[in-house]
Amino acid sequence: MTQMKKIPTRRCTGCGEHFPKSELFRVVRSPEGEITLDKVGKASGRGAYICKNPQCFKKSRKSGRIATALECAIPEEIYDMISEELEVGK
């Protein structure tokens, strides 16, 4: 009997819905404190996930949920990078 592989899910910081990890953007705070956009999903550090819906990103940014999840302030450049990725992804 073959065993079903479990698909890891993560919660979007904007809408609070659960999605497969591969469908989300990951913002990561490295152990050194650097904030980056993790496109591969394998970078070490604390992560926060956002679905690819621009409305979720706006909600998450306005409420500061990404900063809360990463336990640090988020530079504007990171928000700009996520915004650009959402525009390109359409």
Side-chain angles (χ1 to χ4, degrees):
M1 189 156 87
T2 59
Q3 203 167 354
M4 296 285 291
K5 187 172 181 180
K6 185 178 177 188
I7 299 171
T9 61
R10 299 292 183 264
R11 196 178 78 170
C12 172
T13 56
C15 62
E17 296 287 323
H18 287 268
F19 294 96
K21 191 175 166 183
S22 61
E23 294 179 15
L24 301 166
F25 285 116
R26 181 173 186 241
V27 181
V28 66
R29 176 178 50 95
S30 70
E32 295 79 33
E34 183 183 356
I35 309 294
T36 57
L37 189 59
D38 181 15
K39 295 181 182 182
V40 181
K42 301 283 185 186
S44 66
R46 186 171 184 87
Y49 294 85
I50 305 165
C51 64
K52 297 179 181 178
N53 181 345
Q55 300 299 0
C56 284
F57 170 64
K58 288 177 187 173
K59 186 187 294 186
S60 183
R61 183 177 185 174
K62 184 176 181 181
S63 64
R65 290 182 187 157
I66 300 171
T68 302
L70 296 180
E71 300 173 347
C72 66
I74 309 296
E76 282 300 313
E77 303 90 64
I78 299 300
Y79 286 127
D80 294 340
M81 284 173 54
I82 297 168
S83 187
E84 284 177 23
E85 285 290 326
L86 287 170
E87 294 300 318
V88 171
K90 284 187 174 181

Coordinates of all heavy atoms in Angstrom, one line a residue:
M1 N 0.8 -1.2 0.0 CA 0.0 0.0 0.0 C 0.9 1.2 0.0 O 1.8 1.4 0.8 CB -0.9 0.0 1.2 CG -2.0 1.0 1.2 SD -3.3 0.6 2.3 CE -2.8 1.3 3.8
T2 N 0.6 2.2 -0.9 CA 1.4 3.4 -1.0 C 0.9 4.4 0.0 O -0.3 4.5 0.3 CB 1.4 4.0 -2.4 OG1 0.0 4.3 -2.7 CG2 2.0 3.1 -3.4
Q3 N 1.8 5.1 0.6 CA 1.4 6.1 1.6 C 1.3 7.5 1.0 O 2.1 7.9 0.2 CB 2.5 6.1 2.7 CG 2.0 6.6 4.0 CD 3.0 6.3 5.1 OE1 4.0 5.6 4.9 NE2 2.7 6.8 6.3
M4 N 0.2 8.2 1.3 CA 0.0 9.6 0.8 C 1.1 10.5 1.5 O 1.2 10.5 2.7 CB -1.4 10.1 1.1 CG -2.5 9.3 0.4 SD -2.6 9.7 -1.3 CE -3.2 11.4 -1.2
K5 N 1.7 11.3 0.7 CA 2.7 12.3 1.2 C 1.9 13.5 1.7 O 1.1 14.1 1.0 CB 3.7 12.7 0.1 CG 4.8 13.6 0.7 CD 5.8 13.8 -0.4 CE 6.9 14.6 0.3 NZ 8.0 14.9 -0.7
K6 N 2.2 13.9 2.9 CA 1.5 15.1 3.5 C 2.1 16.4 2.9 O 3.3 16.6 2.8 CB 1.7 15.1 5.0 CG 1.0 16.2 5.7 CD 1.2 16.1 7.2 CE 0.5 17.3 7.9 NZ 0.8 17.4 9.3
I7 N 1.2 17.2 2.5 CA 1.6 18.5 1.9 C 1.6 19.6 3.1 O 0.6 19.8 3.7 CB 0.6 19.0 0.8 CG1 0.6 18.0 -0.3 CG2 1.0 20.4 0.3 CD1 -0.4 18.2 -1.4
P8 N 2.8 20.2 3.3 CA 2.8 21.1 4.4 C 2.0 22.4 4.1 O 2.0 22.9 3.0 CB 4.3 21.5 4.5 CG 4.9 21.1 3.3 CD 4.0 20.0 2.7
T9 N 1.2 22.9 5.1 CA 0.4 24.1 4.9 C 0.9 25.1 5.9 O 1.5 24.8 6.9 CB -1.1 23.8 5.1 OG1 -1.3 23.4 6.5 CG2 -1.6 22.8 4.2
R10 N 0.7 26.4 5.5 CA 1.1 27.5 6.3 C 0.0 28.5 6.2 O -0.8 28.6 5.3 CB 2.4 28.2 5.8 CG 3.6 27.3 5.8 CD 4.0 27.0 7.2 NE 5.2 26.2 7.3 CZ 5.3 24.9 7.4 NH1 4.1 24.2 7.4 NH2 6.4 24.2 7.5
R11 N -0.1 29.4 7.2 CA -1.2 30.4 7.3 C -0.7 31.7 6.8 O 0.3 32.2 7.2 CB -1.7 30.5 8.8 CG -3.0 31.2 8.9 CD -3.4 31.3 10.3 NE -2.6 32.4 10.9 CZ -2.8 32.9 12.1 NH1 -3.7 32.4 12.9 NH2 -2.1 33.9 12.5
C12 N -1.6 32.3 6.0 CA -1.3 33.7 5.4 C -1.4 34.7 6.6 O -2.4 34.7 7.3 CB -2.2 34.0 4.3 SG -2.1 35.7 3.7
T13 N -0.5 35.6 6.7 CA -0.6 36.7 7.7 C -1.6 37.7 7.4 O -2.0 38.5 8.2 CB 0.8 37.4 7.9 OG1 1.2 37.9 6.7 CG2 1.8 36.4 8.5
G14 N -2.1 37.7 6.1 CA -3.1 38.7 5.7 C -4.5 38.2 6.0 O -5.2 38.8 6.7
C15 N -4.9 37.1 5.4 CA -6.3 36.6 5.5 C -6.5 35.6 6.5 O -7.6 35.3 6.9 CB -6.7 36.1 4.1 SG -5.8 34.7 3.5
G16 N -5.4 34.9 7.0 CA -5.5 33.9 8.0 C -5.9 32.5 7.5 O -6.0 31.6 8.2
E17 N -6.0 32.4 6.2 CA -6.3 31.1 5.5 C -5.1 30.2 5.5 O -4.0 30.7 5.3 CB -6.9 31.3 4.1 CG -8.2 32.1 4.1 CD -9.4 31.3 4.6 OE1 -9.4 30.1 4.3 OE2 -10.2 31.9 5.2
H18 N -5.3 28.9 5.5 CA -4.2 28.0 5.3 C -4.1 27.6 3.8 O -5.1 27.3 3.2 CB -4.5 26.7 6.1 CG -4.3 27.0 7.6 ND1 -3.1 26.8 8.2 CD2 -5.1 27.4 8.5 CE1 -3.2 27.1 9.5 NE2 -4.4 27.5 9.7
F19 N -2.8 27.6 3.4 CA -2.5 27.2 2.0 C -1.3 26.3 1.9 O -0.5 26.3 2.9 CB -2.1 28.5 1.2 CG -3.2 29.5 1.0 CD1 -3.3 30.6 1.9 CD2 -4.2 29.4 0.0 CE1 -4.4 31.5 1.7 CE2 -5.2 30.3 -0.2 CZ -5.3 31.3 0.7
P20 N -1.2 25.5 0.9 CA 0.1 24.7 0.7 C 1.2 25.7 0.7 O 1.2 26.8 0.1 CB -0.1 24.1 -0.6 CG -1.6 24.0 -0.9 CD -2.1 25.2 -0.2
K21 N 2.3 25.3 1.4 CA 3.5 26.1 1.5 C 4.0 26.7 0.2 O 4.5 27.8 0.1 CB 4.6 25.3 2.2 CG 5.8 26.0 2.7 CD 6.6 25.0 3.4 CE 8.0 25.6 3.7 NZ 8.9 24.7 4.3
S22 N 3.9 25.9 -0.9 CA 4.4 26.3 -2.2 C 3.6 27.4 -2.8 O 4.1 28.1 -3.8 CB 4.4 25.1 -3.1 OG 3.1 24.6 -3.3
E23 N 2.4 27.7 -2.4 CA 1.6 28.8 -2.9 C 1.8 30.1 -2.2 O 1.1 31.1 -2.6 CB 0.1 28.4 -2.9 CG -0.2 27.2 -3.7 CD -1.7 26.8 -3.7 OE1 -2.5 27.6 -3.2 OE2 -2.0 25.7 -4.1
L24 N 2.7 30.2 -1.3 CA 2.8 31.4 -0.5 C 4.2 32.0 -0.7 O 5.2 31.4 -1.0 CB 2.6 31.1 1.0 CG 1.3 30.5 1.4 CD1 1.4 30.0 2.8 CD2 0.2 31.6 1.3
F25 N 4.3 33.4 -0.4 CA 5.6 34.0 -0.4 C 6.1 33.9 1.1 O 5.3 33.9 2.0 CB 5.5 35.5 -0.6 CG 5.3 35.9 -2.1 CD1 4.1 36.5 -2.5 CD2 6.2 35.6 -3.0 CE1 3.9 36.8 -3.8 CE2 6.0 36.0 -4.3 CZ 4.9 36.6 -4.7
R26 N 7.4 33.7 1.3 CA 7.9 33.7 2.6 C 8.9 34.8 2.8 O 9.8 35.1 2.1 CB 8.7 32.4 2.8 CG 9.3 32.2 4.2 CD 9.9 30.8 4.4 NE 10.3 30.6 5.8 CZ 11.5 30.4 6.1 NH1 12.5 30.3 5.2 NH2 11.8 30.2 7.4
V27 N 8.6 35.6 3.9 CA 9.5 36.6 4.3 C 10.3 36.0 5.5 O 9.6 35.5 6.4 CB 8.8 37.9 4.7 CG1 9.7 39.0 5.1 CG2 7.9 38.4 3.6
V28 N 11.6 36.1 5.5 CA 12.4 35.5 6.6 C 13.3 36.4 7.3 O 13.9 37.3 6.6 CB 13.1 34.2 6.0 CG1 14.2 34.7 5.0 CG2 13.8 33.4 7.1
R29 N 13.4 36.3 8.6 CA 14.4 37.0 9.4 C 15.5 36.0 9.7 O 15.3 35.0 10.4 CB 13.8 37.5 10.7 CG 14.9 38.2 11.5 CD 14.3 38.8 12.8 NE 13.4 37.9 13.6 CZ 13.8 37.1 14.6 NH1 15.1 37.1 15.0 NH2 13.0 36.3 15.2
S30 N 16.7 36.2 9.2 CA 17.8 35.3 9.4 C 18.3 35.4 10.8 O 18.0 36.4 11.5 CB 19.0 35.6 8.4 OG 19.6 36.9 8.8
P31 N 19.1 34.4 11.3 CA 19.6 34.5 12.6 C 20.5 35.7 12.9 O 20.6 36.2 14.0 CB 20.5 33.2 12.7 CG 19.9 32.3 11.8 CD 19.4 33.1 10.7
E32 N 21.0 36.3 11.8 CA 21.8 37.6 11.9 C 20.9 38.8 12.0 O 21.4 39.9 12.2 CB 22.8 37.7 10.7 CG 23.8 36.6 10.7 CD 23.3 35.3 10.1 OE1 22.5 35.3 9.2 OE2 23.8 34.3 10.6
G33 N 19.6 38.6 11.7 CA 18.7 39.8 11.8 C 18.3 40.4 10.5 O 17.6 41.4 10.4
E34 N 18.8 39.8 9.4 CA 18.6 40.3 8.0 C 17.2 39.9 7.5 O 16.8 38.7 7.7 CB 19.6 39.9 7.1 CG 19.5 40.4 5.7 CD 20.6 39.8 4.7 OE1 21.4 39.1 5.2 OE2 20.5 40.2 3.6
I35 N 16.4 40.8 7.0 CA 15.1 40.5 6.5 C 15.2 40.3 5.0 O 15.7 41.2 4.3 CB 14.1 41.6 6.8 CG1 14.1 42.0 8.3 CG2 12.7 41.2 6.3 CD1 13.6 40.9 9.2
T36 N 14.7 39.2 4.4 CA 14.7 39.0 3.0 C 13.5 38.3 2.5 O 12.7 37.7 3.4 CB 16.0 38.1 2.6 OG1 15.9 36.9 3.3 CG2 17.3 38.8 2.8
L37 N 13.3 38.3 1.2 CA 12.2 37.5 0.6 C 12.7 36.2 0.2 O 13.7 36.1 -0.6 CB 11.6 38.3 -0.6 CG 10.4 37.8 -1.2 CD1 9.2 37.7 -0.2 CD2 10.0 38.6 -2.4
D38 N 12.2 35.1 0.8 CA 12.7 33.8 0.5 C 11.9 33.1 -0.6 O 10.8 32.6 -0.3 CB 12.7 32.9 1.8 CG 13.2 31.5 1.7 OD1 13.9 31.3 0.7 OD2 13.0 30.7 2.6
K39 N 12.4 33.1 -1.8 CA 11.7 32.5 -2.9 C 11.7 31.0 -2.9 O 10.8 30.4 -3.5 CB 12.2 33.1 -4.2 CG 12.0 34.6 -4.3 CD 12.5 35.1 -5.6 CE 12.3 36.6 -5.6 NZ 12.8 37.2 -6.9
V40 N 12.7 30.4 -2.4 CA 12.9 29.0 -2.4 C 12.1 28.3 -1.2 O 11.6 27.2 -1.3 CB 14.4 28.5 -2.4 CG1 14.5 27.1 -2.4 CG2 15.1 29.2 -3.5
G41 N 12.0 29.0 -0.1 CA 11.4 28.5 1.1 C 12.3 27.6 2.0 O 11.8 26.9 2.8
K42 N 13.6 27.7 1.8 CA 14.5 26.9 2.5 C 15.5 27.7 3.4 O 16.3 27.1 4.0 CB 15.3 26.0 1.5 CG 14.5 25.1 0.6 CD 14.1 23.9 1.4 CE 13.4 23.0 0.4 NZ 12.8 21.8 1.1
A43 N 15.4 29.0 3.3 CA 16.4 29.8 4.1 C 16.1 29.6 5.6 O 15.0 29.4 6.0 CB 16.2 31.3 3.8
S44 N 17.2 29.6 6.3 CA 17.1 29.4 7.8 C 16.7 30.7 8.4 O 17.0 31.8 8.0 CB 18.4 28.9 8.4 OG 19.4 29.9 8.3
G45 N 15.9 30.6 9.5 CA 15.4 31.7 10.2 C 13.9 31.7 10.4 O 13.2 30.8 10.0
R46 N 13.4 32.7 11.0 CA 12.0 32.8 11.4 C 11.2 33.3 10.1 O 11.6 34.3 9.5 CB 11.8 33.8 12.5 CG 10.4 33.8 13.1 CD 10.4 34.6 14.4 NE 9.0 34.6 14.9 CZ 8.5 33.6 15.7 NH1 9.3 32.6 16.0 NH2 7.3 33.7 16.1
G47 N 10.1 32.7 9.8 CA 9.4 33.1 8.5 C 8.0 33.5 8.8 O 7.4 33.1 9.8
A48 N 7.5 34.3 7.9 CA 6.1 34.7 7.8 C 5.6 34.5 6.4 O 6.4 34.8 5.5 CB 6.0 36.2 8.2
Y49 N 4.4 34.1 6.2 CA 3.9 33.7 4.9 C 2.8 34.7 4.5 O 2.0 35.1 5.3 CB 3.4 32.3 4.9 CG 4.5 31.3 5.1 CD1 5.0 31.0 6.4 CD2 5.2 30.7 4.1 CE1 6.0 30.1 6.6 CE2 6.2 29.8 4.2 CZ 6.6 29.5 5.5 OH 7.6 28.6 5.7
I50 N 2.8 34.9 3.2 CA 1.7 35.8 2.6 C 1.2 35.1 1.3 O 2.1 34.7 0.5 CB 2.2 37.2 2.3 CG1 2.9 37.8 3.5 CG2 1.1 38.1 1.7 CD1 3.7 39.0 3.1
C51 N -0.1 35.0 1.2 CA -0.6 34.4 -0.1 C -0.4 35.5 -1.2 O -0.1 36.6 -1.0 CB -2.0 33.9 0.0 SG -3.3 35.1 0.4
K52 N -0.6 35.0 -2.4 CA -0.3 35.9 -3.6 C -1.4 36.8 -4.0 O -1.4 37.3 -5.1 CB 0.1 35.0 -4.8 CG 1.4 34.2 -4.4 CD 1.9 33.3 -5.5 CE 3.1 32.6 -5.0 NZ 3.6 31.6 -6.0
N53 N -2.3 37.0 -3.1 CA -3.4 38.0 -3.3 C -3.0 39.4 -2.8 O -2.6 39.6 -1.6 CB -4.6 37.5 -2.4 CG -5.8 38.4 -2.6 OD1 -5.7 39.5 -3.1 ND2 -7.0 37.9 -2.2
P54 N -3.0 40.4 -3.7 CA -2.5 41.7 -3.3 C -3.3 42.3 -2.1 O -2.8 43.0 -1.3 CB -2.8 42.5 -4.6 CG -2.7 41.6 -5.7 CD -3.3 40.3 -5.1
Q55 N -4.6 41.9 -2.0 CA -5.4 42.5 -0.9 C -4.9 41.9 0.4 O -4.9 42.7 1.4 CB -6.9 42.1 -1.1 CG -7.5 42.6 -2.3 CD -7.5 44.2 -2.4 OE1 -7.0 44.9 -1.5 NE2 -8.0 44.7 -3.5
C56 N -4.5 40.7 0.5 CA -3.9 40.1 1.7 C -2.6 40.8 2.1 O -2.4 41.1 3.3 CB -3.6 38.6 1.5 SG -5.1 37.6 1.6
F57 N -1.8 41.1 1.1 CA -0.5 41.8 1.4 C -0.8 43.2 2.0 O -0.2 43.6 2.9 CB 0.3 41.9 0.1 CG 1.5 42.8 0.3 CD1 2.5 42.5 1.2 CD2 1.6 44.0 -0.5 CE1 3.6 43.3 1.3 CE2 2.7 44.8 -0.3 CZ 3.7 44.5 0.6
K58 N -1.8 43.9 1.4 CA -2.1 45.2 1.9 C -2.6 45.2 3.3 O -2.2 46.0 4.2 CB -3.2 45.9 1.0 CG -2.6 46.3 -0.4 CD -3.7 46.9 -1.2 CE -3.2 47.2 -2.6 NZ -4.2 47.6 -3.6
K59 N -3.5 44.2 3.6 CA -4.0 44.0 4.9 C -2.9 43.7 5.9 O -2.9 44.2 7.0 CB -5.1 42.9 4.9 CG -5.8 42.8 6.2 CD -6.7 41.5 6.2 CE -7.9 41.6 5.3 NZ -8.8 40.5 5.4
S60 N -2.0 42.8 5.5 CA -0.9 42.3 6.4 C 0.0 43.5 6.7 O 0.5 43.7 7.8 CB -0.2 41.2 5.8 OG 0.8 40.7 6.6
R61 N 0.3 44.3 5.7 CA 1.2 45.4 5.8 C 0.6 46.5 6.7 O 1.3 47.0 7.6 CB 1.5 46.0 4.4 CG 2.5 47.1 4.5 CD 2.8 47.6 3.1 NE 3.8 48.6 3.1 CZ 4.4 49.2 2.0 NH1 4.0 48.8 0.8 NH2 5.3 50.1 2.1
K62 N -0.7 46.8 6.5 CA -1.3 47.9 7.3 C -1.4 47.5 8.7 O -1.2 48.3 9.6 CB -2.7 48.1 6.7 CG -3.5 49.2 7.3 CD -4.8 49.5 6.7 CE -5.5 50.6 7.3 NZ -6.8 50.9 6.7
S63 N -1.7 46.2 9.0 CA -1.9 45.8 10.4 C -0.6 45.5 11.1 O -0.5 45.3 12.3 CB -2.8 44.6 10.5 OG -2.2 43.5 9.8
G64 N 0.5 45.4 10.3 CA 1.8 45.1 10.9 C 2.0 43.6 11.3 O 2.8 43.3 12.1
R65 N 1.2 42.7 10.7 CA 1.3 41.3 11.0 C 2.6 40.6 10.6 O 3.0 39.7 11.3 CB 0.1 40.6 10.4 CG -1.2 40.9 11.0 CD -2.3 40.1 10.4 NE -3.6 40.6 10.9 CZ -4.7 40.5 10.2 NH1 -4.7 39.9 9.1 NH2 -5.8 40.9 10.7
I66 N 3.2 41.1 9.6 CA 4.5 40.5 9.2 C 5.6 40.9 10.2 O 6.3 40.0 10.7 CB 5.0 41.0 7.8 CG1 3.9 40.6 6.7 CG2 6.3 40.4 7.4 CD1 4.2 41.3 5.4
A67 N 5.6 42.1 10.7 CA 6.6 42.5 11.7 C 6.3 41.8 13.0 O 7.3 41.4 13.7 CB 6.5 44.0 11.9
T68 N 5.0 41.6 13.3 CA 4.7 40.8 14.6 C 5.2 39.4 14.4 O 5.8 38.8 15.4 CB 3.2 40.9 14.8 OG1 2.8 42.2 14.9 CG2 2.8 40.1 16.1
A69 N 4.9 38.7 13.3 CA 5.3 37.3 13.1 C 6.9 37.2 13.1 O 7.4 36.2 13.7 CB 4.8 36.8 11.8
L70 N 7.6 38.2 12.6 CA 9.0 38.1 12.6 C 9.7 38.7 13.8 O 10.9 38.6 14.0 CB 9.6 38.7 11.3 CG 9.2 38.1 10.0 CD1 9.8 38.9 8.8 CD2 9.6 36.7 9.9
E71 N 8.9 39.3 14.7 CA 9.3 39.9 15.9 C 10.4 41.0 15.7 O 11.4 41.0 16.4 CB 9.9 38.8 16.9 CG 8.8 37.8 17.2 CD 9.3 36.6 18.0 OE1 10.6 36.5 18.1 OE2 8.5 35.9 18.6
C72 N 10.2 41.8 14.6 CA 11.2 42.9 14.3 C 10.5 43.8 13.3 O 9.5 43.5 12.7 CB 12.5 42.4 13.8 SG 12.4 41.6 12.2
A73 N 11.1 45.0 13.2 CA 10.6 46.0 12.2 C 11.0 45.5 10.8 O 12.1 45.0 10.6 CB 11.2 47.3 12.5
I74 N 10.1 45.8 9.8 CA 10.3 45.4 8.4 C 10.7 46.7 7.6 O 9.9 47.6 7.6 CB 9.1 44.8 7.8 CG1 8.5 43.6 8.7 CG2 9.3 44.3 6.4 CD1 9.5 42.5 8.8
P75 N 11.8 46.7 7.0 CA 12.2 47.8 6.1 C 11.3 48.0 4.9 O 10.7 47.0 4.4 CB 13.6 47.5 5.6 CG 14.1 46.3 6.5 CD 12.9 45.6 7.0
E76 N 11.1 49.2 4.5 CA 10.2 49.5 3.3 C 10.7 48.8 2.1 O 9.8 48.4 1.3 CB 10.2 51.0 3.1 CG 9.3 51.8 4.0 CD 7.8 51.3 4.0 OE1 7.3 51.2 2.9 OE2 7.3 51.1 5.0
E77 N 12.0 48.5 1.9 CA 12.5 47.8 0.7 C 11.9 46.4 0.6 O 11.6 45.9 -0.5 CB 14.0 47.7 0.7 CG 14.8 49.0 0.9 CD 15.1 49.4 2.3 OE1 15.8 48.6 3.0 OE2 14.5 50.4 2.7
I78 N 11.7 45.8 1.8 CA 11.1 44.4 1.7 C 9.6 44.5 1.3 O 9.2 43.7 0.5 CB 11.2 43.8 3.1 CG1 12.7 43.6 3.6 CG2 10.5 42.4 3.2 CD1 13.5 42.8 2.6
Y79 N 8.9 45.5 1.8 CA 7.5 45.6 1.4 C 7.5 45.9 -0.1 O 6.6 45.4 -0.8 CB 6.8 46.7 2.2 CG 6.5 46.4 3.6 CD1 6.9 47.2 4.6 CD2 5.7 45.3 3.9 CE1 6.6 46.9 5.9 CE2 5.4 45.0 5.2 CZ 5.8 45.8 6.2 OH 5.5 45.4 7.5
D80 N 8.4 46.7 -0.6 CA 8.4 47.0 -2.0 C 8.8 45.8 -2.9 O 8.2 45.6 -3.9 CB 9.5 48.1 -2.3 CG 9.1 49.5 -1.7 OD1 7.9 49.7 -1.4 OD2 10.0 50.3 -1.5
M81 N 9.7 45.0 -2.4 CA 10.0 43.7 -3.1 C 8.8 42.8 -3.2 O 8.5 42.2 -4.3 CB 11.1 43.0 -2.4 CG 12.5 43.6 -2.6 SD 13.8 42.8 -1.6 CE 13.6 41.1 -2.0
I82 N 8.1 42.7 -2.1 CA 6.9 41.8 -2.1 C 5.8 42.4 -3.1 O 5.2 41.6 -3.9 CB 6.3 41.7 -0.7 CG1 7.3 41.0 0.2 CG2 5.0 40.9 -0.7 CD1 6.9 41.1 1.7
S83 N 5.7 43.7 -3.0 CA 4.7 44.3 -3.9 C 5.1 44.1 -5.4 O 4.2 43.8 -6.2 CB 4.7 45.8 -3.6 OG 3.7 46.5 -4.3
E84 N 6.4 44.2 -5.7 CA 6.8 44.0 -7.1 C 6.6 42.5 -7.5 O 6.1 42.2 -8.6 CB 8.3 44.3 -7.2 CG 8.6 45.7 -7.2 CD 10.1 46.0 -7.3 OE1 10.9 45.1 -7.7 OE2 10.5 47.1 -6.8
E85 N 6.8 41.6 -6.6 CA 6.6 40.1 -6.9 C 5.1 39.9 -7.2 O 4.8 39.1 -8.0 CB 7.1 39.2 -5.7 CG 8.5 39.1 -5.6 CD 9.1 38.3 -6.7 OE1 8.5 37.3 -7.2 OE2 10.2 38.6 -7.2
L86 N 4.2 40.5 -6.4 CA 2.8 40.4 -6.6 C 2.4 40.9 -8.0 O 1.5 40.3 -8.7 CB 2.0 41.0 -5.5 CG 2.0 40.3 -4.2 CD1 1.4 41.2 -3.1 CD2 1.3 39.0 -4.2
E87 N 3.0 42.0 -8.4 CA 2.7 42.6 -9.7 C 3.1 41.7 -10.8 O 2.5 41.5 -11.8 CB 3.3 44.0 -9.8 CG 2.7 45.0 -8.9 CD 1.2 45.3 -9.1 OE1 0.8 45.3 -10.2 OE2 0.5 45.4 -8.1
V88 N 4.3 41.2 -10.7 CA 4.9 40.3 -11.7 C 4.2 39.0 -11.8 O 4.0 38.4 -12.9 CB 6.4 40.0 -11.4 CG1 7.0 39.0 -12.3 CG2 7.2 41.3 -11.6
G89 N 3.7 38.5 -10.6 CA 3.0 37.2 -10.6 C 1.7 37.2 -11.3 O 1.1 36.1 -11.5
K90 N 1.1 38.3 -11.6 CA -0.2 38.3 -12.2 C -0.2 37.8 -13.6 O 0.7 37.8 -14.3 CB -0.8 39.8 -12.2 CG -1.2 40.1 -10.8 CD -1.9 41.5 -10.9 CE -2.5 41.8 -9.5 NZ -3.2 43.1 -9.5

